[in-house]
Amino acid sequence: MPIRFVLVETRHPGNIGAAARALKTMGQSELWLVAPAAFPHAEATALASGADDLLARARVVPTLAEAVADCGLVLGTSARLRTQYYWPVESPRAAAPRLLAAERAGGAAVVFGTERTGLSNADFDLCHGLLHIPANPEYESLNLAQAVQIVAYEILCAGDAAPRAARRLAPLAPVEELERLRAHLGEVLEEIDFTDRRGGPHLLRRLARIFGRAGLDQQEVNILRGVLTAVQARRRRAGSGP
Ligand code: SAH
């Protein structure tokens, strides 16, 4: 399955066309668009130039969750280094071999944000790590299609050198499974009154990000889900469950 390049809520159709061209020149083929402002559009076609076949095949979906549901490794890109949550920040060069290995293990995606504001925290909830293109610290924000170009270029360069991925016994767990794990953990935390003193999604988000970093496979997710189910069963037996 080719590496999926996902553009979230792109405002300018020209950027979609330029991104398609960037991908095709680097040998990539898989463009997904999450709720684009205007697509298809003459400007996209014009900037795609000879890559209009990629545009024609681009998948348009309403949510990021849908675009990455079956991917085992999802990296979000950002011009800013976020400090609110701990994140393994990687350069495209460092991440490229990992993306290639994950692609072979079942599916990988790189996610790009909307022009002005980039990806939201909720978008990053669906990612396993942050990809940052090193740039001028005083002006780090690249044009969207140029960011796509650099990431795709590094993947192309890493292609020959990438070690063959060791065969995993179980494929990486897809995002939708991690989302179920997060929901289940949220339920149990509430049942055992292990709540965030600040309220809101902060604690659960931090915990869920540990799972994202760990690169869990399906069996590992099943084990964790089993632990949570056992906690619930024991509480029910003790008469304190729901
Ligand atoms: N202020 C926004 C900038 C958005 S630029 C932000 O902090 O992310 C639009 C998109 O281009 C970004 O969402 C990201 O996908 C990509 N991009 C731009 N500059 C980048 C950089 N230095 N590293 C990684 N991605 C970058």
Side-chain angles (χ1 to χ4, degrees):
M1 197 162 82
I3 295 175
R4 209 170 278 178
F5 286 76
V6 185
L7 310 188
V8 178
E9 290 176 26
T10 309
R11 312 307 312 163
H12 303 294
N15 278 336
I16 297 176
R21 182 176 187 173
L23 289 176
K24 188 165 180 181
T25 55
M26 298 295 113
Q28 296 294 337
S29 58
E30 193 89 353
L31 179 61
W32 286 58
L33 306 172
V34 176
F39 185 81
H41 193 279
E43 244 173 81
T45 311
L47 272 106
S49 193
D52 43 352
D53 55 325
L54 252 80
L55 285 187
R57 271 186 291 122
R59 289 281 302 270
V60 181
V61 288
T63 63
L64 178 59
E66 236 167 282
V68 299
D70 55 348
C71 293
L73 176 65
V74 182
L75 298 180
T77 56
S78 177
R80 278 172 300 143
L81 298 174
R82 293 158 199 251
T83 48
Q84 191 183 2
Y85 304 101
Y86 170 72
W87 269 108
V89 177
E90 282 178 289
S91 69
R93 192 160 299 173
R98 210 150 76 84
L99 284 164
L100 286 166
E103 174 198 8
R104 288 187 214 107
V110 188
V111 185
F112 297 83
T114 187
E115 286 90 338
R116 208 154 329 136
T117 49
L119 295 169
S120 67
N121 275 333
D123 293 330
F124 272 106
D125 286 343
L126 298 165
C127 298
H128 304 109
L130 191 155
L131 213 152
H132 174 73
I133 300 166
N136 177 0
E138 266 136 50
Y139 189 48
E140 295 188 289
S141 186
L142 279 73
N143 164 268
L144 175 60
Q146 291 171 348
V148 170
Q149 182 86 58
I150 286 175
V151 173
Y153 169 74
E154 291 293 350
I155 292 170
L156 177 76
C157 292
D160 300 327
R164 288 175 60 93
R167 259 174 59 92
R168 289 181 72 109
L169 291 175
L172 290 172
V175 164
E176 55 190 347
E177 285 295 329
L178 292 182
E179 286 297 288
R180 283 189 202 113
L181 173 60
R182 171 210 290 268
H184 196 171
L185 178 63
E187 252 173 52
V188 170
L189 292 181
E190 222 162 87
E191 284 169 33
I192 63 174
D193 297 322
F194 196 95
T195 50
D196 195 336
R197 76 192 131 77
R198 272 179 287 180
H202 193 72
L203 175 71
L204 187 56
R205 182 169 270 156
R206 288 200 67 162
L207 287 167
R209 286 188 179 190
I210 297 173
F211 301 144
R213 292 207 301 274
L216 300 175
D217 65 32
Q218 187 60 57
Q219 288 173 356
E220 290 165 335
V221 169
N222 293 346
I223 293 168
L224 290 167
R225 291 286 300 274
V227 170
L228 294 172
T229 303
V231 170
Q232 290 174 314
R234 168 60 72 95
R235 279 179 54 79
R236 239 165 260 136
R237 273 202 304 280
S240 50

